[in-house]
Amino acid sequence: MTELDIMNLQSGSVQSTGLYFIGMAFSIWVAFRVSSVVSQRSPDNVVMKAIASIYGLCVVYYFNMTMSFYTYNMELTGHRLANLKASGGDVSQAGMDYVANIGASTTPPTFSLMPSDPVMYAFLAAVLAIILLPLWGPQDDA
Protein backbone atom coordinates (compact mmCIF):
# COMPACT_ATOMS: atom_id res chain seq x y z
CA MET A 1 0.00 0.00 0.00
CA THR A 2 1.36 3.41 -0.91
CA GLU A 3 0.90 6.75 0.81
CA LEU A 4 -1.54 7.74 -1.91
CA ASP A 5 -3.62 4.60 -1.23
CA ILE A 6 -3.66 5.40 2.48
CA MET A 7 -4.74 8.98 1.87
CA ASN A 8 -7.45 7.79 -0.55
CA LEU A 9 -8.78 5.46 2.17
CA GLN A 10 -8.81 8.38 4.59
CA SER A 11 -10.63 10.55 2.08
CA GLY A 12 -13.37 7.96 1.64
CA SER A 13 -13.66 7.50 5.40
CA VAL A 14 -13.94 11.23 6.02
CA GLN A 15 -16.58 11.61 3.31
CA SER A 16 -18.76 8.79 4.64
CA THR A 17 -18.37 9.98 8.22
CA GLY A 18 -19.32 13.47 7.05
CA LEU A 19 -22.53 12.12 5.55
CA TYR A 20 -23.34 10.41 8.84
CA PHE A 21 -22.57 13.69 10.63
CA ILE A 22 -25.08 15.55 8.46
CA GLY A 23 -27.72 12.92 9.20
CA MET A 24 -27.01 13.02 12.91
CA ALA A 25 -27.08 16.84 12.98
CA PHE A 26 -30.53 16.67 11.38
CA SER A 27 -31.55 14.04 13.95
CA ILE A 28 -30.43 16.36 16.76
CA TRP A 29 -32.65 19.08 15.32
CA VAL A 30 -35.55 16.60 15.18
CA ALA A 31 -34.90 15.68 18.82
CA PHE A 32 -35.02 19.38 19.74
CA ARG A 33 -38.35 19.73 17.93
CA VAL A 34 -39.81 16.58 19.47
CA SER A 35 -38.80 17.77 22.93
CA SER A 36 -40.32 21.19 22.32
CA VAL A 37 -43.58 19.84 20.91
CA VAL A 38 -44.04 17.22 23.63
CA SER A 39 -43.33 19.72 26.42
CA GLN A 40 -45.83 22.22 24.93
CA ARG A 41 -48.64 19.91 23.83
CA SER A 42 -48.41 17.00 26.27
CA PRO A 43 -46.72 18.26 29.44
CA ASP A 44 -48.55 15.70 31.60
CA ASN A 45 -48.07 12.68 29.31
CA VAL A 46 -45.25 10.69 30.93
CA VAL A 47 -45.23 8.09 28.15
CA MET A 48 -44.60 10.71 25.46
CA LYS A 49 -41.93 12.34 27.63
CA ALA A 50 -40.21 8.97 28.05
CA ILE A 51 -40.34 8.24 24.31
CA ALA A 52 -38.97 11.70 23.47
CA SER A 53 -36.22 11.23 26.07
CA ILE A 54 -35.24 7.82 24.72
CA TYR A 55 -35.10 9.22 21.19
CA GLY A 56 -32.95 12.13 22.35
CA LEU A 57 -30.55 9.86 24.25
CA CYS A 58 -30.21 7.58 21.21
CA VAL A 59 -29.51 10.53 18.92
CA VAL A 60 -26.79 11.83 21.24
CA TYR A 61 -25.28 8.34 21.52
CA TYR A 62 -25.12 7.88 17.75
CA PHE A 63 -23.81 11.42 17.21
CA ASN A 64 -21.02 10.64 19.68
CA MET A 65 -20.35 7.37 17.84
CA THR A 66 -20.07 9.24 14.53
CA MET A 67 -17.55 11.64 16.01
CA SER A 68 -15.66 8.70 17.55
CA PHE A 69 -15.42 7.05 14.13
CA TYR A 70 -14.00 10.29 12.72
CA THR A 71 -11.30 10.32 15.39
CA TYR A 72 -10.59 6.63 14.85
CA ASN A 73 -10.27 7.13 11.09
CA MET A 74 -7.73 9.92 11.63
CA GLU A 75 -5.71 7.76 14.05
CA LEU A 76 -5.89 4.78 11.69
CA THR A 77 -4.48 6.86 8.84
CA GLY A 78 -1.55 7.90 11.05
CA HIS A 79 -1.02 4.26 12.03
CA ARG A 80 -1.00 3.14 8.40
CA LEU A 81 1.50 5.85 7.47
CA ALA A 82 3.73 4.93 10.42
CA ASN A 83 3.62 1.26 9.37
CA LEU A 84 4.46 2.20 5.80
CA LYS A 85 7.49 4.18 6.97
CA ALA A 86 8.58 1.38 9.36
CA SER A 87 8.40 -1.19 6.55
CA GLY A 88 10.71 0.92 4.39
CA GLY A 89 8.06 2.51 2.20
CA ASP A 90 8.22 6.06 0.94
CA VAL A 91 6.33 8.56 3.07
CA SER A 92 6.48 12.28 2.30
CA GLN A 93 7.39 14.89 4.87
CA ALA A 94 3.72 15.96 4.96
CA GLY A 95 2.80 12.36 5.77
CA MET A 96 5.35 12.21 8.58
CA ASP A 97 4.08 15.55 9.90
CA TYR A 98 0.59 14.03 9.95
CA VAL A 99 1.89 11.03 11.92
CA ALA A 100 3.58 13.38 14.39
CA ASN A 101 0.50 15.63 14.76
CA ILE A 102 -1.82 12.68 15.36
CA GLY A 103 0.69 11.00 17.67
CA ALA A 104 0.41 7.78 15.68
CA SER A 105 2.64 4.75 16.01
CA THR A 106 2.91 1.25 14.60
CA THR A 107 0.61 0.06 17.39
CA PRO A 108 -2.94 -0.12 16.02
CA PRO A 109 -5.36 2.44 17.46
CA THR A 110 -8.39 1.28 19.41
CA PHE A 111 -11.91 2.54 18.88
CA SER A 112 -13.33 4.41 21.87
CA LEU A 113 -16.67 6.08 22.51
CA MET A 114 -14.97 8.46 24.93
CA PRO A 115 -14.49 11.77 23.10
CA SER A 116 -10.86 12.71 22.58
CA ASP A 117 -11.77 16.41 22.42
CA PRO A 118 -12.86 17.84 25.80
CA VAL A 119 -15.13 20.35 24.04
CA MET A 120 -17.23 17.40 22.84
CA TYR A 121 -18.20 16.64 26.45
CA ALA A 122 -19.61 20.14 26.85
CA PHE A 123 -21.36 19.93 23.47
CA LEU A 124 -23.00 16.58 24.23
CA ALA A 125 -24.06 17.79 27.68
CA ALA A 126 -25.60 20.93 26.17
CA VAL A 127 -27.50 18.92 23.54
CA LEU A 128 -28.81 16.56 26.23
CA ALA A 129 -29.85 19.50 28.38
CA ILE A 130 -31.69 21.16 25.49
CA ILE A 131 -33.54 17.90 24.82
CA LEU A 132 -34.28 16.74 28.37
CA LEU A 133 -34.83 19.92 30.39
CA PRO A 134 -37.97 21.04 28.52
CA LEU A 135 -39.40 17.58 29.05
CA TRP A 136 -38.57 16.98 32.70
CA GLY A 137 -37.77 20.45 34.04
CA PRO A 138 -40.24 22.84 35.63
CA GLN A 139 -43.09 23.81 33.32
CA ASP A 140 -44.33 27.39 32.88
CA ASP A 141 -47.87 27.99 34.11
CA ALA A 142 -48.64 30.33 31.23
Side-chain angles (χ1 to χ4, degrees), residues 1-15 73-74 76-78 80-81 84 91-92 94-96 98-99:
M1 185 179 293
T2 66
E3 182 178 1
L4 182 60
D5 294 333
I6 292 169
M7 298 312 281
N8 281 334
L9 283 172
Q10 181 198 28
S11 176
S13 296
V14 169
Q15 289 174 12
N73 289 334
M74 294 296 124
L76 193 58
T77 298
R80 288 175 176 150
L81 288 170
L84 179 62
V91 179
S92 68
M96 292 313 298
Y98 182 88
V99 170

PDB file of all heavy atoms in Angstrom, residues 1-15 73-74 76-78 80-81 84 91-92 94-96 98-99:
ATOM      1  N   MET A   1       0.861  -1.177   0.000  1.00  0.00           N
ATOM      2  CA  MET A   1       0.000   0.000   0.000  1.00  0.00           C
ATOM      3  C   MET A   1       0.903   1.234   0.000  1.00  0.00           C
ATOM      4  O   MET A   1       1.856   1.305   0.761  1.00  0.00           O
ATOM      5  CB  MET A   1      -0.897  -0.022   1.241  1.00  0.00           C
ATOM      6  CG  MET A   1      -1.904   1.078   1.261  1.00  0.00           C
ATOM      7  SD  MET A   1      -3.016   1.111   2.695  1.00  0.00           S
ATOM      8  CE  MET A   1      -3.972  -0.356   2.466  1.00  0.00           C
ATOM      9  N   THR A   2       0.565   2.183  -0.817  1.00  0.00           N
ATOM     10  CA  THR A   2       1.359   3.407  -0.908  1.00  0.00           C
ATOM     11  C   THR A   2       0.704   4.515  -0.070  1.00  0.00           C
ATOM     12  O   THR A   2      -0.427   4.379   0.398  1.00  0.00           O
ATOM     13  CB  THR A   2       1.455   3.887  -2.366  1.00  0.00           C
ATOM     14  OG1 THR A   2       0.147   4.273  -2.803  1.00  0.00           O
ATOM     15  CG2 THR A   2       2.020   2.796  -3.271  1.00  0.00           C
ATOM     16  N   GLU A   3       1.435   5.600   0.077  1.00  0.00           N
ATOM     17  CA  GLU A   3       0.899   6.748   0.812  1.00  0.00           C
ATOM     18  C   GLU A   3      -0.361   7.276   0.138  1.00  0.00           C
ATOM     19  O   GLU A   3      -1.332   7.638   0.811  1.00  0.00           O
ATOM     20  CB  GLU A   3       1.954   7.848   0.901  1.00  0.00           C
ATOM     21  CG  GLU A   3       1.489   9.061   1.686  1.00  0.00           C
ATOM     22  CD  GLU A   3       2.562  10.129   1.818  1.00  0.00           C
ATOM     23  OE1 GLU A   3       3.673   9.964   1.284  1.00  0.00           O
ATOM     24  OE2 GLU A   3       2.263  11.150   2.472  1.00  0.00           O
ATOM     25  N   LEU A   4      -0.358   7.277  -1.178  1.00  0.00           N
ATOM     26  CA  LEU A   4      -1.541   7.739  -1.909  1.00  0.00           C
ATOM     27  C   LEU A   4      -2.746   6.842  -1.620  1.00  0.00           C
ATOM     28  O   LEU A   4      -3.861   7.341  -1.409  1.00  0.00           O
ATOM     29  CB  LEU A   4      -1.257   7.786  -3.414  1.00  0.00           C
ATOM     30  CG  LEU A   4      -2.399   8.288  -4.293  1.00  0.00           C
ATOM     31  CD1 LEU A   4      -2.794   9.711  -3.903  1.00  0.00           C
ATOM     32  CD2 LEU A   4      -2.011   8.217  -5.756  1.00  0.00           C
ATOM     33  N   ASP A   5      -2.531   5.526  -1.567  1.00  0.00           N
ATOM     34  CA  ASP A   5      -3.617   4.597  -1.230  1.00  0.00           C
ATOM     35  C   ASP A   5      -4.158   4.882   0.174  1.00  0.00           C
ATOM     36  O   ASP A   5      -5.371   4.880   0.397  1.00  0.00           O
ATOM     37  CB  ASP A   5      -3.144   3.139  -1.294  1.00  0.00           C
ATOM     38  CG  ASP A   5      -2.784   2.685  -2.692  1.00  0.00           C
ATOM     39  OD1 ASP A   5      -3.340   3.246  -3.664  1.00  0.00           O
ATOM     40  OD2 ASP A   5      -1.932   1.778  -2.818  1.00  0.00           O
ATOM     41  N   ILE A   6      -3.255   5.115   1.099  1.00  0.00           N
ATOM     42  CA  ILE A   6      -3.659   5.400   2.479  1.00  0.00           C
ATOM     43  C   ILE A   6      -4.477   6.685   2.546  1.00  0.00           C
ATOM     44  O   ILE A   6      -5.523   6.740   3.204  1.00  0.00           O
ATOM     45  CB  ILE A   6      -2.412   5.482   3.395  1.00  0.00           C
ATOM     46  CG1 ILE A   6      -1.759   4.099   3.515  1.00  0.00           C
ATOM     47  CG2 ILE A   6      -2.781   6.032   4.771  1.00  0.00           C
ATOM     48  CD1 ILE A   6      -0.392   4.102   4.178  1.00  0.00           C
ATOM     49  N   MET A   7      -4.018   7.703   1.844  1.00  0.00           N
ATOM     50  CA  MET A   7      -4.744   8.978   1.866  1.00  0.00           C
ATOM     51  C   MET A   7      -6.088   8.866   1.141  1.00  0.00           C
ATOM     52  O   MET A   7      -7.059   9.520   1.537  1.00  0.00           O
ATOM     53  CB  MET A   7      -3.888  10.090   1.260  1.00  0.00           C
ATOM     54  CG  MET A   7      -2.592  10.348   2.036  1.00  0.00           C
ATOM     55  SD  MET A   7      -2.821  10.514   3.824  1.00  0.00           S
ATOM     56  CE  MET A   7      -3.421  12.159   3.933  1.00  0.00           C
ATOM     57  N   ASN A   8      -6.166   8.031   0.118  1.00  0.00           N
ATOM     58  CA  ASN A   8      -7.452   7.791  -0.547  1.00  0.00           C
ATOM     59  C   ASN A   8      -8.422   7.076   0.394  1.00  0.00           C
ATOM     60  O   ASN A   8      -9.619   7.388   0.393  1.00  0.00           O
ATOM     61  CB  ASN A   8      -7.260   6.989  -1.833  1.00  0.00           C
ATOM     62  CG  ASN A   8      -6.771   7.841  -2.983  1.00  0.00           C
ATOM     63  OD1 ASN A   8      -7.008   9.045  -3.017  1.00  0.00           O
ATOM     64  ND2 ASN A   8      -6.072   7.212  -3.917  1.00  0.00           N
ATOM     65  N   LEU A   9      -7.927   6.122   1.172  1.00  0.00           N
ATOM     66  CA  LEU A   9      -8.776   5.461   2.168  1.00  0.00           C
ATOM     67  C   LEU A   9      -9.287   6.467   3.197  1.00  0.00           C
ATOM     68  O   LEU A   9     -10.452   6.447   3.583  1.00  0.00           O
ATOM     69  CB  LEU A   9      -8.009   4.343   2.887  1.00  0.00           C
ATOM     70  CG  LEU A   9      -7.818   3.046   2.130  1.00  0.00           C
ATOM     71  CD1 LEU A   9      -6.883   2.117   2.902  1.00  0.00           C
ATOM     72  CD2 LEU A   9      -9.152   2.367   1.896  1.00  0.00           C
ATOM     73  N   GLN A  10      -8.394   7.359   3.627  1.00  0.00           N
ATOM     74  CA  GLN A  10      -8.811   8.378   4.589  1.00  0.00           C
ATOM     75  C   GLN A  10      -9.868   9.296   3.983  1.00  0.00           C
ATOM     76  O   GLN A  10     -10.848   9.643   4.639  1.00  0.00           O
ATOM     77  CB  GLN A  10      -7.623   9.208   5.060  1.00  0.00           C
ATOM     78  CG  GLN A  10      -8.055  10.256   6.085  1.00  0.00           C
ATOM     79  CD  GLN A  10      -7.060  11.362   6.262  1.00  0.00           C
ATOM     80  OE1 GLN A  10      -6.308  11.684   5.358  1.00  0.00           O
ATOM     81  NE2 GLN A  10      -7.076  11.963   7.435  1.00  0.00           N
ATOM     82  N   SER A  11      -9.676   9.669   2.748  1.00  0.00           N
ATOM     83  CA  SER A  11     -10.634  10.548   2.079  1.00  0.00           C
ATOM     84  C   SER A  11     -12.022   9.913   2.045  1.00  0.00           C
ATOM     85  O   SER A  11     -13.023  10.558   2.358  1.00  0.00           O
ATOM     86  CB  SER A  11     -10.159  10.866   0.668  1.00  0.00           C
ATOM     87  OG  SER A  11     -11.115  11.630  -0.017  1.00  0.00           O
ATOM     88  N   GLY A  12     -12.087   8.655   1.665  1.00  0.00           N
ATOM     89  CA  GLY A  12     -13.374   7.955   1.642  1.00  0.00           C
ATOM     90  C   GLY A  12     -13.992   7.848   3.027  1.00  0.00           C
ATOM     91  O   GLY A  12     -15.215   8.022   3.189  1.00  0.00           O
ATOM     92  N   SER A  13     -13.158   7.601   4.023  1.00  0.00           N
ATOM     93  CA  SER A  13     -13.659   7.500   5.404  1.00  0.00           C
ATOM     94  C   SER A  13     -14.214   8.837   5.892  1.00  0.00           C
ATOM     95  O   SER A  13     -15.270   8.884   6.520  1.00  0.00           O
ATOM     96  CB  SER A  13     -12.541   7.041   6.347  1.00  0.00           C
ATOM     97  OG  SER A  13     -12.118   5.751   6.030  1.00  0.00           O
ATOM     98  N   VAL A  14     -13.498   9.901   5.591  1.00  0.00           N
ATOM     99  CA  VAL A  14     -13.940  11.230   6.019  1.00  0.00           C
ATOM    100  C   VAL A  14     -15.240  11.613   5.316  1.00  0.00           C
ATOM    101  O   VAL A  14     -16.149  12.176   5.933  1.00  0.00           O
ATOM    102  CB  VAL A  14     -12.829  12.279   5.775  1.00  0.00           C
ATOM    103  CG1 VAL A  14     -13.350  13.691   5.947  1.00  0.00           C
ATOM    104  CG2 VAL A  14     -11.661  12.030   6.712  1.00  0.00           C
ATOM    105  N   GLN A  15     -15.354  11.287   4.043  1.00  0.00           N
ATOM    106  CA  GLN A  15     -16.583  11.608   3.308  1.00  0.00           C
ATOM    107  C   GLN A  15     -17.783  10.850   3.863  1.00  0.00           C
ATOM    108  O   GLN A  15     -18.847  11.439   4.066  1.00  0.00           O
ATOM    109  CB  GLN A  15     -16.409  11.308   1.823  1.00  0.00           C
ATOM    110  CG  GLN A  15     -15.488  12.268   1.123  1.00  0.00           C
ATOM    111  CD  GLN A  15     -15.208  11.863  -0.321  1.00  0.00           C
ATOM    112  OE1 GLN A  15     -15.857  10.993  -0.866  1.00  0.00           O
ATOM    113  NE2 GLN A  15     -14.227  12.510  -0.928  1.00  0.00           N
ATOM    114  N   ASN A  73     -10.758   7.115  12.469  1.00  0.00           N
ATOM    115  CA  ASN A  73     -10.269   7.134  11.086  1.00  0.00           C
ATOM    116  C   ASN A  73      -8.995   7.968  10.956  1.00  0.00           C
ATOM    117  O   ASN A  73      -8.076   7.601  10.227  1.00  0.00           O
ATOM    118  CB  ASN A  73     -11.339   7.668  10.137  1.00  0.00           C
ATOM    119  CG  ASN A  73     -12.482   6.703   9.954  1.00  0.00           C
ATOM    120  OD1 ASN A  73     -12.332   5.502  10.111  1.00  0.00           O
ATOM    121  ND2 ASN A  73     -13.656   7.230   9.634  1.00  0.00           N
ATOM    122  N   MET A  74      -8.928   9.087  11.661  1.00  0.00           N
ATOM    123  CA  MET A  74      -7.727   9.920  11.629  1.00  0.00           C
ATOM    124  C   MET A  74      -6.540   9.172  12.240  1.00  0.00           C
ATOM    125  O   MET A  74      -5.432   9.185  11.694  1.00  0.00           O
ATOM    126  CB  MET A  74      -7.955  11.232  12.392  1.00  0.00           C
ATOM    127  CG  MET A  74      -8.969  12.155  11.771  1.00  0.00           C
ATOM    128  SD  MET A  74      -8.425  12.730  10.169  1.00  0.00           S
ATOM    129  CE  MET A  74      -9.784  12.215   9.181  1.00  0.00           C
ATOM    130  N   LEU A  76      -6.211   5.922  12.537  1.00  0.00           N
ATOM    131  CA  LEU A  76      -5.889   4.777  11.693  1.00  0.00           C
ATOM    132  C   LEU A  76      -5.038   5.193  10.490  1.00  0.00           C
ATOM    133  O   LEU A  76      -4.112   4.470  10.098  1.00  0.00           O
ATOM    134  CB  LEU A  76      -7.177   4.094  11.230  1.00  0.00           C
ATOM    135  CG  LEU A  76      -7.037   2.724  10.592  1.00  0.00           C
ATOM    136  CD1 LEU A  76      -6.356   1.743  11.540  1.00  0.00           C
ATOM    137  CD2 LEU A  76      -8.412   2.198  10.209  1.00  0.00           C
ATOM    138  N   THR A  77      -5.306   6.355   9.942  1.00  0.00           N
ATOM    139  CA  THR A  77      -4.476   6.860   8.842  1.00  0.00           C
ATOM    140  C   THR A  77      -3.046   7.086   9.315  1.00  0.00           C
ATOM    141  O   THR A  77      -2.090   6.698   8.639  1.00  0.00           O
ATOM    142  CB  THR A  77      -5.065   8.161   8.267  1.00  0.00           C
ATOM    143  OG1 THR A  77      -6.357   7.867   7.737  1.00  0.00           O
ATOM    144  CG2 THR A  77      -4.178   8.749   7.186  1.00  0.00           C
ATOM    145  N   GLY A  78      -2.894   7.698  10.485  1.00  0.00           N
ATOM    146  CA  GLY A  78      -1.555   7.898  11.049  1.00  0.00           C
ATOM    147  C   GLY A  78      -0.852   6.572  11.293  1.00  0.00           C
ATOM    148  O   GLY A  78       0.355   6.429  11.011  1.00  0.00           O
ATOM    149  N   ARG A  80      -1.372   3.721   9.695  1.00  0.00           N
ATOM    150  CA  ARG A  80      -1.000   3.144   8.397  1.00  0.00           C
ATOM    151  C   ARG A  80       0.248   3.815   7.821  1.00  0.00           C
ATOM    152  O   ARG A  80       1.129   3.152   7.271  1.00  0.00           O
ATOM    153  CB  ARG A  80      -2.167   3.269   7.420  1.00  0.00           C
ATOM    154  CG  ARG A  80      -3.306   2.336   7.724  1.00  0.00           C
ATOM    155  CD  ARG A  80      -4.472   2.583   6.801  1.00  0.00           C
ATOM    156  NE  ARG A  80      -5.543   1.628   7.036  1.00  0.00           N
ATOM    157  CZ  ARG A  80      -6.818   1.885   6.844  1.00  0.00           C
ATOM    158  NH1 ARG A  80      -7.203   3.063   6.384  1.00  0.00           N
ATOM    159  NH2 ARG A  80      -7.729   0.961   7.073  1.00  0.00           N
ATOM    160  N   LEU A  81       0.316   5.137   7.956  1.00  0.00           N
ATOM    161  CA  LEU A  81       1.503   5.847   7.466  1.00  0.00           C
ATOM    162  C   LEU A  81       2.741   5.463   8.267  1.00  0.00           C
ATOM    163  O   LEU A  81       3.829   5.282   7.695  1.00  0.00           O
ATOM    164  CB  LEU A  81       1.273   7.361   7.519  1.00  0.00           C
ATOM    165  CG  LEU A  81       0.298   7.930   6.497  1.00  0.00           C
ATOM    166  CD1 LEU A  81      -0.016   9.393   6.809  1.00  0.00           C
ATOM    167  CD2 LEU A  81       0.845   7.777   5.083  1.00  0.00           C
ATOM    168  N   LEU A  84       3.830   2.100   7.108  1.00  0.00           N
ATOM    169  CA  LEU A  84       4.464   2.195   5.797  1.00  0.00           C
ATOM    170  C   LEU A  84       5.907   2.655   5.939  1.00  0.00           C
ATOM    171  O   LEU A  84       6.821   2.078   5.322  1.00  0.00           O
ATOM    172  CB  LEU A  84       3.672   3.149   4.892  1.00  0.00           C
ATOM    173  CG  LEU A  84       4.219   3.372   3.487  1.00  0.00           C
ATOM    174  CD1 LEU A  84       4.230   2.057   2.703  1.00  0.00           C
ATOM    175  CD2 LEU A  84       3.387   4.420   2.768  1.00  0.00           C
ATOM    176  N   VAL A  91       7.343   7.700   2.469  1.00  0.00           N
ATOM    177  CA  VAL A  91       6.333   8.564   3.067  1.00  0.00           C
ATOM    178  C   VAL A  91       6.862   9.990   2.982  1.00  0.00           C
ATOM    179  O   VAL A  91       7.990  10.271   3.385  1.00  0.00           O
ATOM    180  CB  VAL A  91       6.042   8.179   4.539  1.00  0.00           C
ATOM    181  CG1 VAL A  91       5.016   9.112   5.144  1.00  0.00           C
ATOM    182  CG2 VAL A  91       5.578   6.732   4.627  1.00  0.00           C
ATOM    183  N   SER A  92       6.059  10.886   2.467  1.00  0.00           N
ATOM    184  CA  SER A  92       6.481  12.278   2.302  1.00  0.00           C
ATOM    185  C   SER A  92       6.630  12.958   3.663  1.00  0.00           C
ATOM    186  O   SER A  92       6.186  12.449   4.686  1.00  0.00           O
ATOM    187  CB  SER A  92       5.456  13.032   1.459  1.00  0.00           C
ATOM    188  OG  SER A  92       4.240  13.158   2.184  1.00  0.00           O
ATOM    189  N   ALA A  94       5.082  15.618   4.510  1.00  0.00           N
ATOM    190  CA  ALA A  94       3.722  15.959   4.955  1.00  0.00           C
ATOM    191  C   ALA A  94       3.078  14.763   5.655  1.00  0.00           C
ATOM    192  O   ALA A  94       2.378  14.922   6.655  1.00  0.00           O
ATOM    193  CB  ALA A  94       2.870  16.406   3.765  1.00  0.00           C
ATOM    194  N   GLY A  95       3.324  13.561   5.125  1.00  0.00           N
ATOM    195  CA  GLY A  95       2.803  12.355   5.766  1.00  0.00           C
ATOM    196  C   GLY A  95       3.405  12.136   7.140  1.00  0.00           C
ATOM    197  O   GLY A  95       2.709  11.765   8.092  1.00  0.00           O
ATOM    198  N   MET A  96       4.694  12.364   7.273  1.00  0.00           N
ATOM    199  CA  MET A  96       5.345  12.207   8.582  1.00  0.00           C
ATOM    200  C   MET A  96       4.892  13.294   9.555  1.00  0.00           C
ATOM    201  O   MET A  96       4.766  13.034  10.754  1.00  0.00           O
ATOM    202  CB  MET A  96       6.870  12.209   8.424  1.00  0.00           C
ATOM    203  CG  MET A  96       7.399  10.973   7.701  1.00  0.00           C
ATOM    204  SD  MET A  96       6.723   9.400   8.309  1.00  0.00           S
ATOM    205  CE  MET A  96       7.283   9.376   9.990  1.00  0.00           C
ATOM    206  N   TYR A  98       1.915  14.519   9.543  1.00  0.00           N
ATOM    207  CA  TYR A  98       0.590  14.033   9.946  1.00  0.00           C
ATOM    208  C   TYR A  98       0.729  13.006  11.065  1.00  0.00           C
ATOM    209  O   TYR A  98       0.013  13.065  12.063  1.00  0.00           O
ATOM    210  CB  TYR A  98      -0.123  13.422   8.732  1.00  0.00           C
ATOM    211  CG  TYR A  98      -1.510  12.933   9.041  1.00  0.00           C
ATOM    212  CD1 TYR A  98      -2.597  13.776   8.947  1.00  0.00           C
ATOM    213  CD2 TYR A  98      -1.733  11.618   9.450  1.00  0.00           C
ATOM    214  CE1 TYR A  98      -3.870  13.337   9.244  1.00  0.00           C
ATOM    215  CE2 TYR A  98      -3.003  11.166   9.753  1.00  0.00           C
ATOM    216  CZ  TYR A  98      -4.072  12.034   9.649  1.00  0.00           C
ATOM    217  OH  TYR A  98      -5.330  11.596   9.956  1.00  0.00           O
ATOM    218  N   VAL A  99       1.651  12.058  10.892  1.00  0.00           N
ATOM    219  CA  VAL A  99       1.888  11.033  11.921  1.00  0.00           C
ATOM    220  C   VAL A  99       2.270  11.697  13.238  1.00  0.00           C
ATOM    221  O   VAL A  99       1.759  11.328  14.306  1.00  0.00           O
ATOM    222  CB  VAL A  99       2.980  10.037  11.461  1.00  0.00           C
ATOM    223  CG1 VAL A  99       3.413   9.121  12.601  1.00  0.00           C
ATOM    224  CG2 VAL A  99       2.496   9.226  10.280  1.00  0.00           C
TER     225      VAL A  99
END
